[in-house]
């Protein structure tokens, strides 16, 4: 499977061994199970919700930010997956947003006819070029310091709106969906 990212990181809570096992099955199905680019990131579980609506939303934001920082520091492009990501048949033939700065592999849109400007939900399969990581990390850190930061998927949309030069691609058809399971967010 031609996934054009230097690093593939999967956010997984230590307590969710079920999701880790399911992700291993998904990776195996696509020939990525033993790919050296794949790593599991132990999700951050904060003690409180902070300025976010829930503890899970807070931890999700911090986990995404930590993975993004790591890839930026390493100088790598990144495919960031959440542990409830299932790949569709399109994953085998997609170009995975080659040449874009941000790639949405799976998402829900308020307006599917206007993906570039629509509100989007879902950060379970998002890719990033190396070039976009440093400004994105700085933006997310600034937002986290604000009064009421958006959930991470909303923060990605806000970043794109604040930076219209960022090249964004959307998988059509989508390469990933969120698996139905109990949520920790």
């Amino acid at each position: 499977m031609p996934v054009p990212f230097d690093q593939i990181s999967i956010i997984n809570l230590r307590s969710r061994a079920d999701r880790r096992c399911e992700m291993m099955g998904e990776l195996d199905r696509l020939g990525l199970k033993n790919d050296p680019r794949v790593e599991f990131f132990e999700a951050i579980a904060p003690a409180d919700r902070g300025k976010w609506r829930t503890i899970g939303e807070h931890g999700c934001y911090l986990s995404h930010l930590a993975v993004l920082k790591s890839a930026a520091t390493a100088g790598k492009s990144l495919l960031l997956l959440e542990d409830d990501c299932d790949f569709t048949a399109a994953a085998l033939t997609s170009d995975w947003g080659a040449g874009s700065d941000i790639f949405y592999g799976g998402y829900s849109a308020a307006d599917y006819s206007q993906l570039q400007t629509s509100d989007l939900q879902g950060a379970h399969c998002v890719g990033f070029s190396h070039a976009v990581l440093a400004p994105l990390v700085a933006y997310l850190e600034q937002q986290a310091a604000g009064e009421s930061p958006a959930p991470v998927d909303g923060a990605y949309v806000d970043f794109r709106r604040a930076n219209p030069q960022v090249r964004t691609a959307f998988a059509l058809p989508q390469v990933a969906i969120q698996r139905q399971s109990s949520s920790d967010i």
Side-chain angles (χ1 to χ4, degrees):
M1 171 173 145
V3 179
F5 297 97
D6 302 323
Q7 179 178 324
I8 302 169
S9 295
I10 304 160
I11 297 173
N12 174 246
L13 279 168
R14 178 185 298 212
S15 63
R16 294 305 303 261
D18 59 323
R19 286 187 173 191
R20 185 181 181 109
C21 182
E22 290 166 342
M23 280 306 303
M24 291 301 292
E26 286 297 304
L27 294 169
D28 191 30
R29 196 167 63 79
L30 295 179
L32 292 172
K33 184 176 182 178
N34 296 312
D35 192 306
R37 298 173 297 166
V38 174
E39 65 180 19
F40 280 85
F41 174 82
E42 186 176 323
I44 297 169
D48 59 52
R49 67 182 182 94
K51 297 179 258 181
W52 284 263
R53 294 177 295 185
T54 66
I55 291 173
E57 190 176 277
H58 185 191
C60 185
Y61 194 102
L62 295 177
S63 296
H64 274 251
L65 183 56
V67 171
L68 294 166
K69 278 184 183 180
S70 174
T73 300
K76 295 181 176 181
S77 61
L78 170 68
L79 178 62
L80 196 156
L81 305 170
E82 293 177 349
D83 62 5
D84 60 350
C85 176
D86 279 347
F87 295 109
T88 67
L92 297 171
T93 57
S94 176
D95 71 357
W96 291 84
S100 65
D101 291 314
I102 299 178
F103 169 69
Y104 285 89
Y107 48 88
S108 294
D111 183 354
Y112 283 91
S113 69
Q114 300 292 324
L115 290 173
Q116 290 291 340
T117 57
S118 179
D119 287 334
L120 299 175
Q121 288 184 332
H124 55 283
C125 179
V126 188
F128 304 94
S129 71
H130 171 258
V132 80
L133 287 173
L136 177 59
V137 165
Y139 183 87
L140 292 177
E141 288 176 330
Q142 177 186 14
Q143 295 305 304
E147 288 296 314
S148 58
V152 74
D153 50 356
Y156 290 154
V157 171
D158 293 342
F159 171 78
R160 289 181 25 250
R161 287 180 178 152
N163 296 277
Q165 75 283 3
V166 170
R167 299 164 298 158
T168 305
F170 302 86
L172 294 168
Q174 295 184 40
V175 300
I177 59 171
Q178 276 188 290
R179 181 181 324 108
Q180 293 297 315
S181 65
S182 63
S183 175
D184 296 293
I185 295 179

